[in-house]
Amino acid sequence: MNRLFDRILLGLTAALAVALIVVVAGTLELRVVNAGDAAPEFTVVTDDGRTVRRSDFGGKLLVLNFWATWCEPCIAEIPTLDAFQRTFAKQGVVVLGVSIDRNEKLYRRFLERARLSFATTRDPEENISARYGTYQWPETYIIDRSGKVIEKVISNRNWMDPEFLARVRSLL
């Protein structure tokens, strides 16, 4: 009887171990959003106090930019990203900058100096960027009116490049 109980206990332990491995492996799977994928939903409070969701941008082209004040390529692209927002704001394009800065004081100081024309928010725990599979900065997702990612830009870019501007105009 003791052997039967030991075998049953051993079998249950092995089954639980396998189940635990399957559950843990499933949570470690990295989701990376690419062009053609549906953009994950998110909710943020912008620095001007508005609560916005990804779905609030239906009918507009959303440029979702992940950045940080300590990231040199991020800072290098901000002037052209800001000019891009000013150029296309009346045509239904919205830029949303999501900073992963942990130091709120440095972040606020940067925003005071930069005086950006696009909406910004801070996500120091990187919850939103993790949903998109973003782990390098800057990284930007261009999301169409239906919520589909139409382009993913890894690293900085000149947002006022004439060729790129023509491509954006074709999407409007």
Side-chain angles (χ1 to χ4, degrees), residues 145-164:
R145 293 170 165 88
S146 67
K148 182 178 172 183
V149 175
I150 54 175
E151 189 170 338
K152 179 178 180 176
V153 179
I154 300 172
S155 192
N156 60 328
R157 80 162 325 136
N158 176 359
W159 289 89
M160 295 304 289
D161 174 70
E163 191 176 295
F164 176 71

Side-chain angles (χ1 to χ4, degrees), residues 3-34:
R3 280 190 186 170
L4 179 60
F5 180 75
D6 288 346
R7 285 184 183 162
I8 291 172
L9 191 57
L10 184 61
L12 286 172
T13 303
L16 285 172
V18 168
L20 180 63
I21 290 169
V22 168
V23 168
V24 169
T27 62
L28 296 177
E29 186 177 315
L30 177 64
R31 173 163 166 42
V32 176
V33 175
N34 289 302

Side-chain angles (χ1 to χ4, degrees), residues 13-61:
T13 303
L16 285 172
V18 168
L20 180 63
I21 290 169
V22 168
V23 168
V24 169
T27 62
L28 296 177
E29 186 177 315
L30 177 64
R31 173 163 166 42
V32 176
V33 175
N34 289 302
D37 294 341
E41 187 62 55
F42 61 83
T43 302
V44 297
V45 177
T46 62
D47 291 320
D48 63 3
R50 293 179 298 135
T51 299
V52 295
R53 289 172 282 293
R54 200 266 316 139
S55 56
D56 290 341
F57 296 99
K60 297 182 179 182
L61 192 66

Side-chain angles (χ1 to χ4, degrees), residues 91-104:
Q91 297 172 42
V93 176
V94 176
V95 173
L96 175 61
V98 178
S99 170
I100 60 157
D101 278 280
R102 292 188 189 275
N103 186 322
E104 185 174 4

